């Protein structure tokens, strides 16, 4: 049970009670670290980026206008830092021809995704996620793992909701292609 809302803690910090910032850190640190770690795929770098996220949030908390939820604003900062970090290092990922993606039938994806969730399938999915570009991996993780809405994802990524929907659709197809290739090997 949460004692106070994010808004309460934010207002307290903005009023000068910096100790209340620790409550926000406690509330969100694990999920921010987990997301960043899955994007950058390096624990030490994820720890550093999570710390950078909190430093940036603290420095700019006075700029937070509550036009979106605090968690959405926080995830946007973490997302941007993690994506920037992966772009700085030329990460290799599995290229998939656009023609191949276009040939994937949505019903096949739905059927494959609906099949059991045994350990082997989850391990393959984890490997497949690692083969996606960081921004695709981040979007799929935020949607399915953090259960962010399309509107929240649009705010986090700075894209229009329709673009987010299209990207999620294409990413699912990419995952399907990767997973089918892994299955065939």
């Amino acid at each position: 049970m949460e004692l106070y809302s994010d808004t309460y803690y934010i207002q307290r910090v903005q009023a000068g009670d910096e100790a209340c910032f620790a409550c926000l850190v406690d509330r969100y640190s694990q999920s921010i670290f987990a997301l960043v770690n899955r994007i950058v795929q390096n624990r030490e770098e994820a720890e550093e980026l999570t710390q950078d996220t909190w430093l940036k949030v603290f420095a700019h908390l006075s700029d937070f206008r509550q036009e979106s939820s605090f968690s959405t604003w926080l995830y946007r900062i973490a997302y941007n830092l993690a994506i920037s970090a992966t772009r700085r290092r030329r990460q290799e990922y599995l290229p998939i021809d656009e023609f191949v993606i276009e040939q994937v039938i949505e019903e096949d994806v739905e059927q494959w995704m609906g099949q059991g969730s045994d350990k082997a399938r989850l391990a393959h999915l984890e490997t497949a996620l690692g083969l996606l570009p960081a921004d695709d991996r981040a979007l799929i993780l935020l949607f399915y793992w953090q259960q962010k809405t399309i509107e929240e994802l649009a705010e986090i990524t700075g894209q229009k909701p329709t673009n987010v929907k299209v990207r999620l659709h294409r990413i699912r197809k990419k995952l399907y292609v990767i997973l089918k290739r892994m299955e065939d090997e």
Side-chain angles (χ1 to χ4, degrees):
M1 179 174 85
E2 294 180 12
L3 293 177
Y4 297 105
S5 69
D6 293 344
T7 305
Y8 171 81
Y9 291 122
I10 292 164
Q11 289 171 347
R12 295 290 309 234
V13 173
Q14 289 173 336
D17 186 358
E18 294 177 359
C20 282
F21 190 72
C23 298
L24 294 169
V25 173
D26 288 345
R27 185 172 287 173
Y28 292 103
S29 275
Q30 288 182 334
S31 58
I32 292 298
F33 170 77
L35 174 68
V36 171
N37 189 37
R38 295 197 65 177
I39 293 171
V40 300
Q41 298 182 315
N42 179 296
R43 183 173 184 80
E44 292 78 26
E45 187 176 11
E47 288 171 352
E48 187 175 320
L49 288 168
T50 301
Q51 187 173 30
D52 290 349
T53 298
W54 286 113
L55 291 171
K56 194 168 199 166
V57 167
F58 185 77
H60 296 281
L61 195 58
S62 61
D63 300 336
F64 179 62
R65 300 284 176 244
Q66 299 182 18
E67 294 165 358
S68 62
S69 71
F70 174 73
S71 67
T72 299
W73 184 69
L74 173 62
Y75 277 102
R76 181 177 183 130
I77 292 169
Y79 168 86
N80 287 335
L81 287 172
I83 294 300
S84 293
T86 59
R87 286 184 181 147
R88 283 192 297 272
R89 59 175 156 93
R90 286 288 256 207
Q91 186 172 352
E92 292 294 319
Y93 61 90
L94 182 66
I96 300 173
D97 190 319
E98 291 299 314
F99 178 76
V100 172
I101 294 171
E102 294 301 323
Q103 300 307 308
V104 173
I105 300 167
E106 185 62 28
E107 289 78 30
D108 290 345
V109 175
E110 292 292 332
Q111 181 182 7
W112 195 92
M113 295 296 227
Q115 294 175 356
S117 60
D118 59 359
K119 287 183 181 181
R121 182 173 294 279
L122 290 175
H124 280 97
L125 182 57
E126 191 70 35
T127 302
L129 283 168
L131 296 173
L132 290 173
D135 53 340
D136 286 354
R137 187 170 52 251
L139 196 60
I140 208 88
L141 290 170
L142 284 165
F143 185 71
Y144 288 103
W145 186 51
Q146 294 290 334
Q147 298 179 338
K148 296 294 182 187
T149 66
I150 297 295
E151 290 73 25
E152 289 173 317
L153 289 173
E155 286 184 51
I156 290 168
T157 62
Q159 298 175 350
K160 294 180 180 178
T162 52
N163 292 355
V164 170
K165 285 181 188 178
V166 169
R167 282 194 59 210
L168 282 169
H169 180 75
R170 294 181 61 73
I171 295 166
R172 286 177 45 150
K173 285 185 171 188
K174 283 182 187 179
L175 275 174
Y176 175 78
V177 168
I178 293 168
L179 289 164
K180 288 303 275 183
R181 285 181 183 172
M182 291 170 65
E183 220 173 59
D184 294 342
E185 290 179 354

